[in-house]
Amino acid sequence: MHHDTSLIDIIAVGLAVAFVLGALANKLKLSPLVGYLVAGMIVGPFTPGFVADQDLATQLSELGVMLLMFGVGLHFSLEDLMSVKKIAIPGAVVQITVATLLGFGLAWWMGWNPMQGFVFGLALSVASTVVLLRAMEERRMLDTSRGRIAVGWLIVEDLAMVLALVLLPALAGALGEGEAGARADGGAWMEIAKAMGATLLQVAAFVAVMLLVGRRVIPWTLERVAATGSRELFTLSVLAIALGVAFGSAKLFGVSFALGAFFAGMLLNESELSHKAANDSLPLRDAFAVLFFVSVGMLFDPTIVVKYPLQVLATFLIIVVGKSLAAYAIVRSFGYPKGTALTISASLAQIGEFSFILAGLGLALKILPQEGHDLILAGALLSIVANPFLFTALDRWLRRHPQDAPGIPAVEPEPLPGPPLRAGEHAIVIGYGRVGSNLVHVLHERGVPVVVIDDSRDNVDKAHAAGIAAIRGSAAADAVLAEAQPDKARIAVLAIPQPLEAGEAIAKLRALNPELTVLARAHSEAEVEHLLEHGADAAVLAERELAFSLAEMIMAMPPYRQGRPPAAEPATTSA
């Protein structure tokens, strides 16, 4: 019997190829995004072999866009933006303008119309959140002044792109498909003004409903679902809210799926359950994000590098040189040192997910030619590959010129409190969640010096408030582990529930200090085996220890203190 398996084919083959190439890219110290995009090229129509269904890929990419935007909203921090608003807001606006003009100039040189040039330039102006945050985390910069400026700058760029995603369809509709930019008479401008005005009114109505109703209903719903104690229902409710609000925003208010998902995440961020919502929805968001990048790669024709080599080079230079010089000049004009300006420049010298979304929208609306889409993807691939080398060069320069990177308005990483750590003295606890925080407090109360590592700012802030030395970052990052001084530690405890990250961290701890005692938590026999293979001295299986503790409590009760249950009373019958 014949079965139509197009959807299964694209998910199974796409994810499998993306996994292999993503792992290879990670091994080469590149962003996994490069692997995902290349995976899309392999299963796309421009390369021989298996070809996935393009229509299904487009629909899956829409889901990916919604969940990506939901994640952006979920991690949106107005506090981060306000802390550096004096430089991030004007800096991002000027840099977006410069990059858009450079892209517009290249498009004009290629003979495109003004609207096509505008969309092309705009897509080159926004950096990838994934790439930037990874580079910052690896170098322990997120809580430095440089990191705060870069993140605030990125938030402004993201907000500008959200607005562009809302307005571009109206602009394209007013100008006419395939004729964008060709008309410039008074009637055309009136049509544009009316279309954009109507779109802004729809957006205003949607925002008003979300602020008045959604702000109350969404957190209330999550709290009620969380009270049931069902993790499955909670995860389902988070996804239903994300996709439901995105769908409703498009059907009821005529705004984009992306804006609806972004607002759902932003309102969910106000709930006390936002951290749990982010963690529970992360696997599905990651999976569909990968499919989004695969679908983007499917649309890329790699022969453009041969057909238009000068245009590809010019696009790459706009992203890596043009944007960087603009950012450097802006940061320096605000009186910041060279080290900060170079860090911001390197951070923004790449493009990623928002550029792909804009390029896809432009292609769908026929306000961007296929060549423009391919040039954007080529520029993204090349800039993402080049970005780690830029940061490596920056690291070397900063080591030679430390006087050019002093601490400025915001704070640099806080030094570990208390006297200097002595060899064999302190414990390192990785993870400050429910398990880690309780462990740390017990050790702290008993006088054991503790250093915490956690990648959540909220958890690190809580540890600092409790007087605990805490470092923000991934335990698998070399710079983060080094700051915890494992060479002087006596013991390290992995209290995180992610066995893969824990295993990687254990292997690195073992290499840094072979004498270190390493303990870890696990949730299955397979995890225990994995952690022991990577060098853990012992792994505690949480469910087993809980069973032992309950058994000890039961055996301590009067009827069971002798180690056996009381003899059963003889059965009696009555006539």
Side-chain angles (χ1 to χ4, degrees), residues 17-269:
V17 178
F19 163 70
V20 173
L21 295 181
L24 179 61
N26 190 64
K27 188 74 174 177
L28 297 174
K29 303 298 182 182
L30 299 175
S31 171
L33 296 188
V34 175
Y36 306 154
L37 292 170
V38 175
M41 292 163 53
I42 290 175
V43 301
F46 300 104
T47 54
F50 172 81
V51 176
D53 188 314
Q54 186 62 59
D55 292 333
L56 283 175
T58 301
Q59 293 186 46
L60 289 173
S61 72
E62 286 286 352
L63 274 174
V65 168
M66 284 190 275
L67 293 174
L68 272 173
M69 294 301 297
F70 176 66
V72 171
L74 201 56
H75 294 97
F76 175 78
S77 174
L78 189 61
E79 182 183 349
D80 284 348
L81 177 57
M82 290 299 102
S83 67
V84 291
K85 63 181 183 295
K86 291 182 180 179
I87 181 174
I89 295 176
V93 170
V94 172
Q95 184 249 298
I96 289 172
T97 303
V98 171
T100 302
L101 288 175
L102 290 172
F104 185 91
L106 177 58
W108 175 79
W109 176 71
M110 290 187 290
W112 300 354
N113 67 47
M115 186 61 184
Q116 293 170 334
F118 171 70
V119 176
F120 179 70
L122 195 62
L124 301 183
S125 68
V126 57
S128 166
T129 304
V130 175
V131 176
L132 186 148
L133 291 181
R134 174 174 175 170
M136 289 286 168
E137 286 176 350
E138 286 179 350
R139 289 160 180 80
R140 298 283 295 112
M141 287 186 185
L142 279 177
D143 288 326
T144 68
S145 57
R146 291 170 284 163
R148 291 180 188 275
I149 292 171
V151 171
W153 197 300
L154 195 65
I155 289 172
V156 178
E157 288 188 350
D158 288 353
L159 291 176
M161 295 309 115
V162 169
L163 183 61
L165 292 175
V166 172
L167 296 179
L168 275 181
L171 191 58
L175 291 172
E177 289 186 357
E179 301 175 4
R183 298 158 53 190
D185 55 15
W189 287 114
M190 284 298 295
E191 289 180 22
I192 293 172
K194 288 180 182 178
M196 295 186 72
T199 299
L200 290 174
L201 284 175
Q202 290 174 318
V203 172
F206 167 70
V207 171
V209 170
M210 290 300 292
L211 292 179
L212 294 175
V213 180
R215 177 173 281 178
R216 294 175 174 84
V217 172
I218 290 176
W220 180 86
T221 302
L222 278 182
E223 289 171 6
R224 295 300 178 276
V225 175
T228 66
S230 171
R231 180 173 180 175
E232 178 182 336
L233 281 178
F234 184 83
T235 302
L236 185 60
S237 69
V238 171
L239 295 173
I241 289 170
L243 300 179
V245 171
F247 181 79
S249 66
K251 294 299 180 182
L252 300 178
F253 297 94
V255 300
S256 67
F257 289 129
L259 181 64
F262 173 78
F263 254 89
M266 193 170 66
L267 294 181
L268 198 57
N269 190 27

Side-chain angles (χ1 to χ4, degrees), residues 323-445:
K323 285 176 60 181
S324 296
L325 289 177
Y328 180 86
I330 294 164
V331 176
R332 290 289 285 158
S333 69
F334 277 81
Y336 287 85
K338 290 180 182 179
T340 299
L342 288 172
T343 301
I344 304 302
S345 298
S347 301
L348 302 172
Q350 38 80 18
I351 59 174
E353 51 274 9
F354 262 113
S355 303
F356 304 147
I357 296 172
L358 277 172
L361 180 62
L363 202 61
L365 296 173
K366 300 182 180 178
I367 53 176
L368 183 70
Q370 181 64 49
E371 293 82 2
H373 182 276
D374 291 341
L375 286 174
I376 290 168
L377 263 65
L381 276 168
L382 293 173
S383 64
I384 293 173
V385 169
N387 201 246
F389 298 101
L390 292 178
F391 266 102
T392 300
L394 173 65
D395 293 340
R396 291 173 181 169
W397 188 90
L398 290 175
R399 284 195 292 269
R400 292 197 303 269
H401 304 85
Q403 71 280 4
D404 289 315
I408 52 174
V411 296
E412 298 295 326
E414 297 182 21
L416 300 178
L421 299 174
R422 293 187 295 273
E425 183 180 71
H426 71 286
I428 299 172
V429 176
I430 298 173
Y432 196 72
R434 289 177 298 176
V435 175
S437 60
N438 284 308
L439 171 64
V440 168
H441 291 159
V442 171
L443 295 176
H444 189 61
E445 288 172 358

